[in-house]
Amino acid sequence: APKRLKYDFVFGRYLGLCLTRFLARVVDVTNTTLTLMAVGAVLFFLWSLVLDENTYYLAWSWLCVGWAHLLFNVYFEQHILEIRKQLVPEGSPHLVSLVNSFNATSSSLQQQQKTPFQSISEKDLTLPGWCSVDLEKYLKGRSKLRNVFVKGTPNRQDTLYWMDRYGPTLYLIILQSNLIFIGLDFATQLMFFLPTMYNSEASRTSFVVYLVLAVLSISGNMLNKKHLVANLAVVCSVGSLRNINAIADVFQEEKTENLVRCFLVIYRLHRVASRSAPVSSKGDDGHYTTKLDPLEIREVSQTFNNFACITEDDGYISYEEFRLMMSTLGGSISENMIQTVMSSMDHSDDGQIDRSEFLQWYSNNILAVEETDLLQNAPRVLFELFDEDNQGEISISQFQQKLDKLQVGFGDQISIINEIDRDGNGQITSREFEMLFRRFPPAELLRKNNNNNNRAGQSSSLGLCSDVPHCGGSVLL
């Protein structure tokens, strides 16, 4: 069985990638979809011959097709929602065991937060609906027609879909046909049938009734299409249908985001060391758990781990590791200045920096800084420090040396460099370097910026946005 993802996997980012790829498949209309639409057009043409091309009856026939399409859409959407419910019950109670496991391994964090997850007993734990599928009974009750088209034995999750394992492919064809028909219906009604009904010998009452029914049909078909697409992307991307490439991309994006965070930390330390930025002391703006959510604490802790294992992986940043960390960007910094900067982080005065001290410093000196300084000025300053030859470009070998000091693995280095060096010329320009910070900013900085924008929007819109709930960095599926 494939290894399960960890509880803290960022499903929101994963679903975003899956939705993007799903939309790319939707616009790439398959030959099967085109064939089905052609068959439908031929059938309607034959029906027009039966009616002796009477446009009045053809208009009402087309309207009936539109309403049949709407009723099918309603049924189809309910089917998709039912699949999602079977895969992911409301409230995701089947994830409670993972939450309790997180509680057991992070009790110290809960004590600091003073808001631990509520423990739920096993009697309250329910499994997703697909777990209770009687596979033997399902196979016995499967129709002969389905057995002709669907070969092999499905798993329990496959039984939730039409045509079993071919369900996602069928749903894609249905969605493509759906979108094509909506456009065709709107154009046909507007350009042909509505003018025909208006100019026909039928009463004006008949035309008004036809117009209302046509508008309701088209509006109903267009309603909530984005929710249908989003739900289809979910049911076609979870469980046994998980997208391995998207999962790998999520992990790689997390590593790249962590690298950007490392650069921002070192940049901020250099600014403090050069006396061009003030340093906040312990407790200036409250405990870090009041400004970072558990997921963000985990991500920033990973940045701490990058620095703490430069020379020895002992869970602390020693003076030697701190000195090497400060020298990552290059430039000359005196020993006295390094000691001064380190003392601003070492609140216990034991000569080393632990995880909680790093998180506290980060919340006081990174989150408190204006985003303009971090995401606009930082790339420019860092690029100038990396460009040791003052050539206006950073060579791949120079950049790899910086990554080596940050304990970035060779495989991850290749992925990050390919991400930055888009033209593949072996040189990193200032614009390419700036794009790294724009595309992969730390999530906590985005959340802070969104909160600031929300507060500004509330003050300028008389509180109309006050009921908008905060959306965290991950979605539990």
Side-chain angles (χ1 to χ4, degrees):
K3 185 177 180 180
R4 292 183 180 273
L5 297 173
K6 294 183 178 180
Y7 71 89
D8 53 2
F9 179 75
V10 186
F11 281 100
R13 182 174 290 170
Y14 168 74
L15 289 181
L17 292 174
C18 291
L19 178 59
T20 301
R21 299 180 183 192
F22 186 77
L23 289 174
R25 295 178 61 194
V26 169
V27 299
D28 185 17
V29 180
T30 63
N31 292 330
T32 303
T33 302
L34 295 176
T35 301
L36 289 176
M37 298 303 296
V39 170
V42 170
L43 291 176
F44 192 78
F45 172 73
L46 295 177
W47 178 246
S48 70
L49 296 180
V50 172
L51 296 178
D52 197 21
E53 298 185 359
N54 186 311
T55 55
Y56 179 81
Y57 291 112
L58 276 177
W60 282 102
S61 299
W62 183 259
L63 184 62
C64 290
V65 173
W67 274 92
H69 182 262
L70 174 59
L71 294 176
F72 173 79
N73 272 347
V74 173
Y75 174 72
F76 182 57
E77 289 181 17
Q78 291 300 316
H79 169 67
I80 297 301
L81 290 174
E82 182 62 26
I83 294 179
R84 176 166 180 166
K85 182 179 178 181
Q86 295 297 320
L87 289 172
V88 189
E90 289 295 329
S92 300
H94 62 292
L95 294 177
V96 169
S97 60
L98 296 177
V99 173
N100 289 338
S101 174
F102 175 67
N103 288 337
T105 58
S106 59
S107 59
S108 60
L109 175 60
Q110 295 172 11
Q111 292 174 359
Q112 293 172 341
Q113 287 183 291
K114 300 181 181 178
T115 55
F117 289 104
Q118 182 181 1
S119 180
I120 301 179
S121 60
E122 291 184 4
K123 66 179 181 180
D124 298 322
L125 186 62
T126 59
L127 294 172
W130 63 267
C131 295
S132 59
V133 173
D134 189 337
L135 194 56
E136 182 177 353
K137 181 179 179 180
Y138 171 80
L139 291 174
K140 289 182 179 180
R142 194 163 64 172
S143 65
K144 294 182 179 179
L145 182 62
R146 178 175 290 189
N147 287 330
V148 172
F149 290 99
V150 181
K151 303 297 183 180
T153 302
N155 58 42
R156 285 183 170 84
Q157 290 184 0
D158 291 339
T159 62
L160 301 177
Y161 302 85
W162 292 340
M163 302 298 289
D164 296 347
R165 69 188 63 179
Y166 303 108
T169 302
L170 175 62
Y171 296 158
L172 179 65
I173 295 173
I174 291 175
L175 181 59
Q176 290 177 338
S177 304
N178 195 323
L179 297 176
I180 293 175
F181 178 81
I182 291 174
L184 183 63
D185 187 24
F186 180 80
T188 304
Q189 290 287 7
L190 183 64
M191 302 298 295
F192 183 70
F193 287 125
L194 284 176
T196 298
M197 292 297 294
Y198 182 79
N199 296 322
S200 68
E201 297 179 356
S203 64
R204 286 291 176 262
T205 302
S206 177
F207 170 74
V208 171
V209 171
Y210 184 91
L211 176 63
V212 171
L213 292 176
V215 170
L216 290 176
S217 172
I218 294 174
S219 301
N221 281 318
M222 295 177 65
L223 190 63
N224 288 335
K225 275 295 167 286
K226 65 179 181 179
H227 297 101
L228 174 62
V229 173
N231 285 318
L232 273 173
V234 171
V235 301
C236 296
S237 306
V238 297
S240 59
L241 298 174
R242 68 171 67 176
N243 191 318
I244 303 300
N245 292 330
I247 293 175
D249 288 344
V250 169
F251 286 133
Q252 185 56 51
E253 287 187 7
E254 285 185 339
K255 293 176 181 178
T256 307
E257 181 182 307
N258 182 59
L259 174 66
V260 171
R261 188 182 292 108
C262 290
F263 284 158
L264 292 177
V265 168
I266 299 175
Y267 162 76
R268 185 62 181 170
L269 289 173
H270 267 255
R271 290 211 50 180
V272 173
S274 63
R275 302 183 184 274
S276 58
V279 60
S280 298
S281 59
K282 180 180 179 181
D284 280 357
D285 300 304
H287 198 264
Y288 66 85
T289 53
T290 63
K291 290 175 285 186
L292 294 169
D293 62 35
L295 179 62
E296 292 167 349
I297 291 176
R298 178 188 70 84
E299 292 176 342
V300 178
S301 296
Q302 180 59 44
T303 304
F304 168 79
N305 294 336
N306 279 76
F307 295 137
C309 64
I310 292 179
T311 60
E312 184 179 1
D313 188 7
D314 56 359
Y316 295 93
I317 300 178
S318 64
Y319 176 81
E320 179 62 21
E321 288 171 328
F322 190 83
R323 187 182 63 80
L324 291 174
M325 181 175 69
M326 292 290 290
S327 65
T328 299
L329 300 183
S332 58
I333 301 179
S334 66
E335 293 292 328
N336 290 336
M337 187 54 66
I338 292 178
Q339 292 177 355
T340 301
V341 177
M342 183 172 179
S343 64
S344 68
M345 303 175 69
D346 182 18
H347 303 304
S348 60
D349 296 327
D350 58 356
Q352 54 188 7
I353 303 168
D354 61 23
R355 172 179 168 275
S356 62
E357 290 172 335
F358 181 85
L359 289 169
Q360 186 64 51
W361 179 90
Y362 186 89
S363 65
N364 289 346
N365 293 274
I366 298 294
L367 296 184
V369 178
E370 290 294 331
E371 184 185 13
T372 302
D373 180 45
L374 288 177
L375 299 183
Q376 295 183 18
N377 296 337
R380 175 179 55 80
V381 175
L382 292 173
F383 183 84
E384 292 175 355
L385 290 171
F386 284 179
D387 183 17
E388 299 173 354
D389 302 329
N390 296 322
Q391 298 296 321
E393 292 180 331
I394 305 173
S395 67
I396 297 300
S397 60
Q398 287 176 327
F399 192 68
Q400 283 185 305
Q401 291 176 6
K402 309 298 182 183
L403 298 183
D404 286 335
K405 293 183 179 180
L406 294 175
Q407 307 299 307
V408 178
F410 180 76
D412 294 332
Q413 289 184 20
I414 297 301
S415 300
I416 293 172
I417 290 173
N418 289 336
E419 184 67 40
I420 301 176
D421 186 19
R422 289 304 184 91
D423 55 13
N425 64 352
Q427 301 290 331
I428 301 174
T429 64
S430 59
R431 178 170 178 78
E432 289 174 334
F433 192 71
E434 289 175 4
M435 288 301 299
L436 175 69
F437 288 75
R438 293 183 182 181
R439 295 192 62 205
F440 301 98
E444 62 276 5
L445 295 181
L446 288 182
R447 180 171 65 85
K448 184 194 73 170
N449 186 51
N450 290 336
N451 289 341
N452 292 338
N453 291 339
N454 289 338
R455 284 194 292 269
Q458 291 171 12
S459 62
S460 61
S461 60
L462 300 180
L464 294 179
C465 300
S466 59
D467 59 341
V468 177
H470 168 65
C471 179
S474 64
V475 177
L476 291 179
L477 299 181

